[in-house]
Amino acid sequence: MSPPPVVTGLSPKEGPPGTRVTIRGEFLGNQANDLIGLTICGCDCLLSAEWKSKNKIVARSGPGKGRGDIVVTTKHGGRGTSTVQFRGYHETYGPLKESAVWVEEAETNLTWGRRPMQLAASYAPPDPLGLSTEDENKFPEDDLHELFPDCSGDLSAENFHPGWFLLEHHHCTTFEDLKAGTLFLKRKVDVQKEGQLSFLKANTGSVMDQLDALILLKNCYETDVRENGKEPLKKLEKSIEEAMTEANKIFDDVLSRKDNADSTRAALSIMTRYKFLFQLPGNIDKNIAKKDYDLVINDYARAKNLFGKTDVAIFKKVLFEVEKRIDNLRNILHTKLQKLPISVDDQKHLIRSLMNLEWTGDAAWDAITSRCDYISKQIVRTRDYHVQLEASEDDSGKNHKGTKPAITSGGEWWPARVSLCGALCPLLTEALPDLWRLGQSYFCGELRGDRQPEKHDKFKTMILTTIELFCRTIRSALLPQTADRSAMSEKSVWNSQTAPNLCNWLAHCLRDVRETYNSLMRLDLPSEALDIVGNLIHDLKLYCMIGLLKQAVDSVKTFNKKETWKIEFDPQHGGITELPGLLEKTVYDVMNVIKESVLIACPREKPLFDTGSAAHKHLNNYIQDILNAFSKCLEKLAFSHDEQDSGQSPLSVVLGAPALMVLGGRLAEVDGHDGLPATPPWQHRLLITLSNCRYSSECVLPRILTFFDKNGYTKPILPIEAAKVLLKTLSKSIMEAYLEQKSDPLVGTIEPSMYIGKFDWNTKIKPTDVRPYAKECINNLIAVHAEVHSVSPSLVRTVLSQVLETVAEEFARLMSGCHGKFSPFGALQARIDVTVLKDTTLPLLTQRAKHSFEDALECIPEIKSEDDKKLKEQIIQDFQKRTKLQAICFKNC
């Protein structure tokens, strides 16, 4: 095996097809037979290859274009490689280029100047003046058009103008250069004239081939003239006529025999037709009796085709009998066509039968009108039946569960009006598509319907009237408040005084109407028809939402009866009952039901909550009603009490308070019978309700607002703000009532306790301790603290601060009334009592309470003796040590 051949050089490196290329390399074969393959630019050039040596081959290039490898293949070395490439291109022959073949000048593209490198395969002729045209400043083309109108600078154009050419390519060339270019052009033309003989010698092969073709063409033409003459068409025409004459002679006998056979066959057919015609009336009667109408139609059509234009008397008589029976059949089919119920396919079959029997009327239109009337009658009949059903229920005073239309498949009783909706929706869903399909078949020409515009309008009116009747009937039964004047007749059918509450049933009716609406949309009905049902659905959605919200309002109004007073403690808001959570759950539930049953996104349905729609207003109003009802329930729970609740002992809050107990987080009083918790006293109910108000305002209402936003509803900002105002007002009223119940008894015990035992501030007894009335006042405040803290720790500071204001004002009043009556020991005792009360409750004192205690101390004479001051401090310290536990409750509020 020899090494594979390698091409390392070639000359030239580019050229048009047929260029003689010298290929140099290594291992190009030991002899000429070793060379078995040669490709240049992908073209096989083995036939033109001449093996010179193992290092040299000479070949002609093929028609390849662009750059490509030169690959040599030898017997022993196989396919070789190339380190150099050959570039092939196709020359473009212009008007100044000699060529031995015809050149299409119209396709010649003469571009003077530098030839772009990327167009390697194209060829541009040189400048005829032999001058360089590399000037980048081109002469403006617009100026050229202005100077030489209707001319061109293209050398191949008929309107070529030399001035244009010179300005376009040589406007910067000097005159001397132009003179030199003119001499160059002259020499070139002279050389071409002198070189005609050499040109012919160089292209002898092509010229000889052309001469041979011309001589052959001349010989063929002369031979044809000698054989056929100068006018061969007459001879051809004569030959065709002779051929036609001979053909007619051959087929005359065959055609005559065919005519005889046709005559015989016609005679036999006439005999058969006679038998069919005479038996036709009897056969028609038999087939009508068997309801085989198609066979009758076929026989009748056959008889009409055979004997329709006969002049034979007997045939006319038989045909008269046939027509009488056919008229009877037409009437039978027309009656069956208008007798419903019947399927659309059967109606179409009857219509086609009548058309085949040449019915004079428009059978298809009669079928459409009869089907439309049937649907309307069915709607009215169904409505009347349910009206009577509701009347019978009202007369008996109870529901007739044995009546089928008012009973569901599971045995649940339905109101007659809801049952009407459940009956009408399937009726329209089944009947209207049949009417629509029948009409479409009529107008598309399937039933030969005439396409008169008035019938299109009539059919559209039929559809609209039927759907309007359906919607009007349902609207008058379920939504009589929305029925317009045109529906007064339907509205008056129902007894408005005994109309049931349908709020719980509107969602079910809405689902039925939506199913009907979806089935109608698949029919491609006019938009006016769909809008009628869409408006009904929109009203059903609106009043379904209103009904659900009304039920929520009614439910919230009964919250006061559902209050169990079971307290659950919230870390931030203290004790609350289940009412705030019940309000939140009620709002969530009703809005979720509205979202699932009312706000379902269905095609072509008008959104319920459009901008500025009535639904927004209704929703905000009913949310406001729900929150108002909740506020009224809290108000009823807070201020509904009997005399026993309000009857408290005026001596002491502690002694007058009922026995309290906390069982499982539930504040109640023991009723003394079975030990079970009962309703807490009124004062505790005030605190619980006050805590519910605060929790509802601060937690429940913001959560409701967030719930609306998350579920795609418009935030009810105004109802929420109004509810907060109501709850704030209610909280203020409850707080005032509670403070009145606590402050008045507590303050009322101070003065009697102060002077119990006929005590006088002008005493001569030296003080040894805080007087009992001050201790009792502190204990009473602790009792209030305990009561408030057991319900809502967050309210302790608010309540005690206001109670302390009234206590401080009472001390200021009492001390000012004793001004001038204090003995030294009495003044000392008074300062000890007031100071102890002030210091013990200091964390809860407001500025107003502090000023009142300061006013009380100002009314008491100053202590001048150091011993008395020490005694005061000693007594206060001893008291504070003994009451350290009691003082803790005031510090940790």
Side-chain angles (χ1 to χ4, degrees), residues 739-773:
L739 291 175
E740 183 180 355
Q741 291 297 316
K742 289 300 177 184
S743 299
D744 292 348
L746 193 150
V747 173
T749 61
I750 296 176
E751 186 173 3
S753 299
M754 182 183 291
Y755 296 106
I756 194 170
K758 298 182 179 180
F759 175 80
D760 189 3
W761 291 112
N762 192 15
T763 181
K764 296 181 180 181
I765 301 174
K766 187 177 181 180
T768 59
D769 196 2
V770 179
R771 293 199 62 218
Y773 80 92

Side-chain angles (χ1 to χ4, degrees), residues 290-348:
K290 292 188 298 184
K291 297 183 180 180
D292 195 354
Y293 305 125
D294 291 337
L295 185 56
V296 175
I297 294 171
N298 292 334
D299 291 344
Y300 176 70
R302 182 181 174 189
K304 289 285 288 182
N305 290 332
L306 292 175
F307 304 101
K309 298 180 180 180
T310 184
D311 295 331
V312 180
I314 188 64
F315 288 172
K316 289 183 178 181
K317 185 176 182 181
V318 175
L319 288 176
F320 178 75
E321 294 295 329
V322 170
E323 287 292 341
K324 287 173 60 178
R325 288 163 173 78
I326 293 299
D327 287 338
N328 183 32
L329 178 59
R330 292 191 186 107
N331 295 329
I332 293 173
L333 295 179
H334 190 261
T335 303
K336 292 185 66 176
L337 178 67
Q338 294 180 315
K339 187 177 181 181
L340 295 171
I342 185 175
S343 66
V344 175
D345 293 335
D346 291 342
Q347 270 192 322
K348 288 182 178 180

Side-chain angles (χ1 to χ4, degrees), residues 575-761:
I576 57 174
T577 63
E578 63 180 3
L579 287 191
L582 194 58
L583 169 67
E584 189 174 0
K585 182 178 182 301
T586 301
V587 174
Y588 289 177
D589 290 345
V590 69
M591 297 312 297
N592 285 329
V593 171
I594 290 173
K595 184 178 180 179
E596 294 172 359
S597 61
V598 177
L599 301 182
I600 301 175
C602 295
R604 285 196 90 260
E605 283 191 19
K606 184 167 58 176
L608 186 62
F609 291 110
D610 271 340
T611 304
S613 63
H616 276 299
K617 183 177 180 181
H618 286 296
L619 179 61
N620 288 336
N621 291 340
Y622 280 103
I623 293 296
Q624 181 70 67
D625 293 341
I626 290 174
L627 300 178
N628 291 347
F630 180 72
S631 299
K632 291 181 180 178
C633 287
L634 293 180
E635 185 177 0
K636 289 181 182 178
L637 292 172
F639 295 105
S640 59
H641 62 281
D642 51 21
E643 295 179 357
Q644 184 178 0
D645 285 338
S646 60
Q648 295 275 339
S649 172
L651 298 178
S652 174
V653 175
V654 179
L655 299 177
L660 301 176
M661 63 185 300
V662 179
L663 297 175
R666 180 175 180 178
L667 191 64
E669 64 177 4
V670 179
D671 58 8
H673 296 287
D674 52 4
L676 296 176
T679 303
W682 178 48
Q683 296 174 358
H684 291 276
R685 296 201 300 270
L686 287 174
L687 288 175
I688 295 171
T689 307
L690 181 60
S691 180
N692 285 340
C693 289
R694 295 183 60 185
Y695 179 77
S696 300
S697 179
E698 297 175 5
C699 297
V700 175
L701 295 183
R703 285 203 295 265
I704 290 176
L705 204 62
T706 304
F707 171 81
F708 271 76
D709 189 28
K710 287 183 178 180
N711 287 270
Y713 296 102
T714 303
K715 291 183 179 181
I717 297 177
L718 294 179
I720 294 295
E721 295 299 327
K724 287 183 178 180
V725 173
L726 284 177
L727 291 175
K728 184 177 181 181
T729 304
L730 179 59
S731 300
K732 184 177 180 181
S733 302
I734 294 174
M735 179 66 75
E736 292 176 354
Y738 183 76
L739 291 175
E740 183 180 355
Q741 291 297 316
K742 289 300 177 184
S743 299
D744 292 348
L746 193 150
V747 173
T749 61
I750 296 176
E751 186 173 3
S753 299
M754 182 183 291
Y755 296 106
I756 194 170
K758 298 182 179 180
F759 175 80
D760 189 3
W761 291 112

Side-chain angles (χ1 to χ4, degrees), residues 161-272:
H161 195 284
W164 183 308
F165 176 82
L166 292 176
L167 288 175
E168 183 179 5
H169 299 286
H170 300 285
H171 70 281
C172 293
T173 306
T174 63
F175 182 71
E176 296 299 330
D177 291 340
L178 290 176
K179 289 171 65 177
T182 304
L183 295 176
F184 173 79
L185 181 59
K186 288 181 179 180
R187 287 195 302 270
K188 191 172 182 180
V189 172
D190 293 339
V191 169
Q192 286 183 356
K193 290 181 180 179
E194 294 174 358
Q196 296 296 327
L197 183 59
S198 61
F199 172 75
L200 291 174
K201 290 179 180 180
N203 298 279
T204 303
S206 299
V207 173
M208 294 304 294
D209 290 341
Q210 295 170 6
L211 288 174
D212 292 341
L214 291 173
I215 292 171
L216 179 61
L217 180 62
K218 178 177 178 295
N219 293 336
C220 290
Y221 176 75
E222 291 175 351
T223 302
D224 183 78
V225 170
R226 284 195 302 270
E227 292 178 356
N228 299 315
K230 293 185 179 181
E231 296 182 357
L233 292 180
K234 292 183 178 180
K235 185 176 179 181
L236 178 62
E237 182 181 2
K238 182 178 179 181
S239 299
I240 293 174
E241 290 177 354
E242 292 176 355
M244 292 177 62
T245 303
E246 294 297 326
N248 289 333
K249 291 179 181 179
I250 294 173
F251 289 100
D252 281 344
D253 295 338
V254 177
L255 293 175
S256 62
R257 288 196 299 271
K258 178 180 180 298
D259 293 338
N260 294 331
D262 290 342
S263 300
T264 304
R265 192 179 300 109
L268 293 175
S269 177
I270 290 173
M271 292 175 64
T272 304

Side-chain angles (χ1 to χ4, degrees), residues 12 24 40 188 260 312 421 473-474 554 559 591 665 857 881:
R24 299 184 183 276
I40 300 176
K188 191 172 182 180
N260 294 331
V312 180
C421 181
T473 303
I474 292 181
D554 296 338
F559 276 6
M591 297 312 297
L857 290 174
K881 289 179 181 179

